[in-house]
Amino acid sequence: MDLLCHLDGIVLLLEVTSGYIRSTRHEAWLHRTNTLRKAARQLRRKRPAVLQALYSDQELLAGLGLSEAGQSPALYAWVVDTSIEFDGEAVDGFRVVSREVMEIALRDEKHFLRPLDQVGEVEEETLYPKGFSAPAFVQVIESENVWRDVV
């Protein structure tokens, strides 16, 4: 499944994978080799078409709340996986982001990654000290800031 969304001059092209819980290293390897690489191939095919459409398709631009053709927003293409096994890795040039990390980043709930006995002890921290914005969200995901000081 793929999603296209626009936030503050940034367009996210997300290829969402679904899977099952892998119980062996071989199953994890198969997931990376088959499922995640297939998602990366999908993004490789779709990205040029989306860029072309963002540059010229007035209906798409209007639907995304963008006004002018010829001024393409920044496009980020990520594989969103239902597991955290390969979070932060690149598969065939595309960043893999777990669904959980996306939710934590969007909700600004980094404290939920800490061990339960530390949740009340650690001062709640924010991923967005200057406030949430699309560029800040992209920076948090691209820099793997969700995991910083946690593992």
Side-chain angles (χ1 to χ4, degrees):
M1 168 186 13
D2 58 328
L3 301 171
L4 184 67
C5 58
H6 166 261
L7 299 165
D8 299 331
I10 291 177
V11 173
L12 301 175
L13 176 60
L14 307 173
E15 185 71 28
V16 182
T17 67
S18 63
Y20 58 92
I21 296 174
R22 287 156 289 286
S23 57
T24 67
R25 286 184 182 206
H26 180 69
E27 288 174 346
W29 177 83
L30 284 173
H31 177 66
R32 186 181 201 289
T33 302
N34 295 332
T35 307
L36 298 180
R37 289 185 76 193
K38 180 180 177 185
R41 279 193 307 272
Q42 296 281 23
L43 287 173
R44 182 168 289 109
R45 285 191 2 233
K46 292 173 185 175
R47 183 172 49 185
V50 169
L51 283 170
Q52 178 61 34
L54 288 172
Y55 191 74
S56 61
D57 186 334
Q58 292 294 333
E59 189 175 325
L60 176 62
L61 292 170
L64 291 172
L66 300 169
S67 58
E68 297 181 34
Q71 295 182 351
S72 294
L75 176 66
Y76 292 87
W78 299 332
V79 174
V80 179
D81 193 13
T82 55
S83 69
I84 64 169
E85 290 167 323
F86 300 103
D87 187 74
E89 291 188 19
V91 173
D92 294 343
F94 292 95
R95 176 172 291 281
V96 177
V97 182
S98 70
R99 181 190 55 80
E100 289 84 358
V101 165
M102 294 282 285
E103 289 177 10
I104 287 166
L106 286 168
R107 294 179 182 164
D108 196 12
E109 295 176 334
K110 182 176 177 174
H111 58 279
F112 284 134
L113 292 175
R114 300 213 177 272
L116 288 176
D117 61 342
Q118 292 180 8
V119 170
E121 296 174 12
V122 177
E123 192 175 310
E124 287 203 22
E125 55 194 308
T126 180
L127 294 166
Y128 309 101
K130 295 180 182 176
F132 180 86
S133 68
F137 172 72
V138 168
Q139 174 63 27
V140 163
I141 297 299
E142 295 274 321
S143 68
E144 299 181 31
N145 197 12
V146 170
W147 293 111
R148 190 162 290 133
D149 302 326
V150 174
V151 289

